[in-house]
């Protein structure tokens, strides 16, 4: 089964589609996260550190975890290049090496689509959150055309999305509720088709806001904010 390659992962974000995707995804995630100066934040399943670095830039004391040594090595290199101090830790999302009630904020972007025990991962992230702490999760939306297109592509070519679980808005809400969280918000973004063409994306971008009002649950990227009771 194809796995993420750190260089390929980062290279996608340098394509026209990748650049607009990460910008809109970050805008959505951080509109929900409302990072506060000096608070302790965990980026669970941090990959190459895209969100860990942004958390740190926004003033959080940041820790990033991932099970992949290669991803963590690249994350450390990226943070070092930017002169940013982040604690990157090799860890399984199902057994986080942190005490109870430790973090003010937990982010998990993409990880829940690639882990078989979603509830256990959410309970572990809840354990390390302080009471009243916030969790923001980002997943691949099952209701988006992107999900269908990625599945079709996977019939003809081996991709990482062949092992991904696309998650619908009701599914992520139900998962968070079962883990004992109180849901505070749910939004999607990326309503255009995944066409890696600069001209198409330039024409489609102005419709993003309109689509978010007309078909608010059908963006390719789904994010939810919840609170630990």
């Amino acid at each position: 089964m194809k796995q993420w390659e750190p260089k390929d992962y980062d290279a996608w974000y340098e394509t026209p589609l990748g650049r607009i995707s990460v910008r809109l995804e970050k805008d959505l995630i951080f509109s929900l996260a409302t990072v506060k100066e000096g608070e302790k934040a965990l980026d669970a399943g941090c990959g190459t550190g895209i969100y860990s670095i942004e958390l740190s830039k926004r003033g959080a004391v940041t820790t990033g975890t991932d099970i992949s040594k290669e991803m963590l090595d690249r994350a450390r290199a990226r943070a070092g290049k930017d002169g940013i101090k982040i604690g990157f830790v090799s860890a399984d999302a199902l057994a986080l090496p942190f005490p109870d009630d430790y973090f003010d904020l937990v982010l998990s972007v993409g990880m829940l689509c690639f882990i078989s025990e979603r509830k256990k991962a959410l309970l572990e992230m809840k354990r390390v959150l302080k009471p009243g702490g916030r969790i923001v999760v980002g997943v691949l939306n099952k209701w988006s055309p992107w999900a269908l297109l990625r599945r079709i592509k996977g019939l003809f070519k081996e991709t990482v999305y062949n092992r991904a679980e696309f998650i619908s808005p009701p599914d992520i809400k139900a998962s968070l509720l079962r883990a004992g969280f109180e849901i505070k918000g749910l939004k999607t973004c990326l309503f255009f088709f995944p066409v890696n063409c600069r001209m198409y994306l330039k024409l489609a971008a102005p419709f993003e806001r309109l689509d978010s009002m007309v078909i608010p649950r059908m963006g390719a990227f789904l994010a939810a904010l919840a609170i630990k009771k």
Side-chain angles (χ1 to χ4, degrees), residues 1-223:
M1 186 70 73
K2 187 176 179 63
Q3 303 290 321
W4 287 115
E5 291 292 337
K7 289 184 179 180
D8 294 342
Y9 182 85
D10 281 347
W12 185 81
Y13 285 108
E14 295 302 319
T15 66
L17 181 59
R19 281 194 292 270
I20 191 171
S21 295
V22 74
R23 177 174 62 81
L24 292 173
E25 290 170 10
K26 277 185 178 181
D27 287 348
L28 178 53
I29 288 291
F30 288 103
S31 72
L32 294 172
T34 58
V35 181
K36 300 176 181 65
E37 183 78 27
E39 67 180 353
K40 294 178 182 176
L42 171 66
D43 182 12
C46 65
T48 61
I50 292 172
Y51 284 89
S52 302
I53 291 168
E54 187 65 29
L55 279 166
S56 187
K57 286 181 177 179
R58 290 171 182 255
V61 179
T62 305
T63 302
T65 62
D66 205 282
I67 202 166
S68 167
K69 178 182 181 299
E70 292 76 18
M71 287 288 193
L72 289 173
D73 286 344
R74 191 160 181 87
R76 292 187 185 102
R78 289 183 56 162
K81 185 178 179 181
D82 289 347
I84 295 172
K85 186 177 180 180
I86 296 171
F88 288 109
V89 179
S90 177
D92 187 332
L94 304 181
L96 295 170
F98 308 109
D100 296 354
D101 306 333
Y102 186 74
F103 293 100
D104 302 287
L105 169 66
V106 172
L107 293 192
S108 175
V109 181
M111 182 186 70
L112 292 179
C113 294
F114 295 92
I115 195 166
S116 58
E117 298 180 75
R118 188 192 311 169
K119 183 178 180 181
K120 189 172 180 180
L122 286 169
L123 286 172
E124 186 65 355
M125 288 187 277
K126 180 186 173 189
R127 179 186 67 78
V128 302
L129 261 181
K130 295 177 181 178
R134 296 135 25 238
I135 182 172
V136 178
V137 297
V139 297
L140 304 171
N141 187 6
K142 187 176 182 179
W143 287 359
S144 166
W146 288 44
L148 176 60
L149 292 170
R150 281 168 167 164
R151 287 296 188 214
I152 292 172
K153 184 178 180 181
L155 296 174
F156 303 97
K157 179 182 179 181
E158 182 69 16
T159 77
V160 293
Y161 297 107
N162 287 2
R163 64 184 182 88
E165 179 183 7
F166 295 87
I167 302 172
S168 71
D171 284 344
I172 196 62
K173 288 176 70 174
S175 293
L176 287 164
L177 289 171
R178 282 195 294 268
F181 288 102
E182 179 182 349
I183 296 169
K184 291 295 186 179
L186 187 147
K187 296 181 180 180
T188 73
C189 67
L190 306 183
F191 295 93
F192 44 82
F193 288 100
V195 178
N196 207 0
C197 170
R198 189 174 286 103
M199 182 60 70
Y200 165 75
L201 294 170
K202 186 176 181 179
L203 292 171
F207 294 97
E208 180 77 9
R209 182 179 176 86
L210 176 62
D211 290 338
S212 70
M213 293 184 287
V214 177
I215 47 173
R217 294 292 183 260
M218 292 187 67
F221 183 74
L222 165 63

